[in-house]
Amino acid sequence: MNQGLIPNRYAKALFKFASEKGEADRVYDLMKALVASFVAEPRLQAVISNPYIPADDKTRLLMTAAHADEKKDTCYDDFLRLLLHNRRIEFARDIALAYLDIYREANNIYLVRLTTAAELPEEEIKRLHDLVERHLDGASMEFSRIVDPSLIGGFVIDINSERLDASVNNELKQLRLKLLSN
């Protein structure tokens, strides 16, 4: 996902800084929590962008949103203060997304999402998980599952930007396109 020049530059700088400090893994966890907080609470972006909210309150809010500990997560705290100093705090969400992409690329981690029409038994999920793992040649992956009844049947597996669509809904679309083209 391309978030723009400013977020990517800050994310690269944060990744380099965190790696030098040996905290890249911890910052990765914080950034995942921060992104999840932005998803769970859409008004968070409006609060962070509000010029009338004091800078210290924004820092505390972003520390809380990432489930960070001020004493333990000094790298993240220093980074937030840099964003405030440079008046880039409104890019926090986009920087977090860019950091996640940079970290995953550097550590060969794939995002894998399994979407099914209904809840599957655990042995079927395990079988699909193992199939994807073999496809990735043992690379690390973050595996998530979603149930989407609009698929009608079958499943869809997204691996980063690749998609394997074995759903009934997709088959019906393909059949319709084939009939319309004749």
Side-chain angles (χ1 to χ4, degrees):
M1 177 183 286
N2 185 3
Q3 292 87 18
L5 186 62
I6 292 171
N8 281 319
R9 284 186 178 172
Y10 276 88
K12 284 178 187 176
L14 176 59
F15 181 72
K16 184 177 179 185
F17 179 67
S19 295
E20 289 170 357
K21 297 272 187 190
E23 296 183 24
D25 297 341
R26 176 65 183 156
V27 172
Y28 178 70
D29 292 337
L30 294 172
M31 292 300 180
K32 283 196 324 189
L34 182 62
V35 168
S37 293
F38 274 102
V39 169
E41 189 54 60
R43 295 180 305 179
L44 183 57
Q45 184 63 45
V47 173
I48 296 304
S49 299
N50 188 333
Y52 298 107
I53 296 179
D56 287 341
D57 289 347
K58 291 179 182 182
T59 302
R60 278 196 301 278
L61 181 60
L62 289 174
M63 290 292 284
T64 302
H67 309 293
D69 180 356
E70 280 186 42
K71 292 175 180 67
K72 189 171 110 178
D73 297 316
T74 57
C75 182
Y76 178 69
D77 186 46
D78 291 345
F79 183 70
L80 291 179
R81 294 194 188 286
L82 174 72
L83 290 180
L84 282 170
H85 181 266
N86 293 343
R87 297 181 183 178
R88 300 290 194 211
I89 199 72
E90 70 272 6
F91 290 104
R93 177 188 162 276
D94 292 335
I95 292 169
L97 288 168
Y99 183 91
L100 294 176
D101 289 343
I102 291 166
Y103 181 91
R104 287 178 184 131
E105 186 176 332
N107 291 288
N108 201 26
I109 299 172
Y110 291 87
L111 278 180
V112 178
R113 185 177 65 208
L114 170 65
T115 307
T116 57
E119 198 61 49
L120 292 178
E122 282 301 315
E123 57 270 2
E124 286 298 315
I125 293 170
K126 172 92 171 95
R127 192 170 67 84
L128 288 169
H129 182 277
D130 292 345
L131 178 74
V132 171
E133 203 168 47
R134 282 194 306 273
H135 174 72
L136 297 178
D137 287 331
S140 298
M141 67 175 152
E142 292 180 6
F143 192 84
S144 62
R145 301 182 329 212
I146 298 172
V147 174
D148 180 3
S150 72
L151 294 180
I152 303 171
F155 62 89
V156 176
I157 297 178
D158 294 301
I159 303 172
N160 287 348
S161 61
E162 286 181 55
R163 174 172 269 196
L164 168 64
D165 193 339
S167 66
V168 172
N169 189 28
N170 184 53
E171 292 295 323
L172 290 172
K173 281 181 189 175
Q174 297 300 321
L175 181 61
R176 188 180 95 222
L177 288 173
K178 194 173 191 178
L179 290 172
L180 289 174
S181 68
N182 289 333

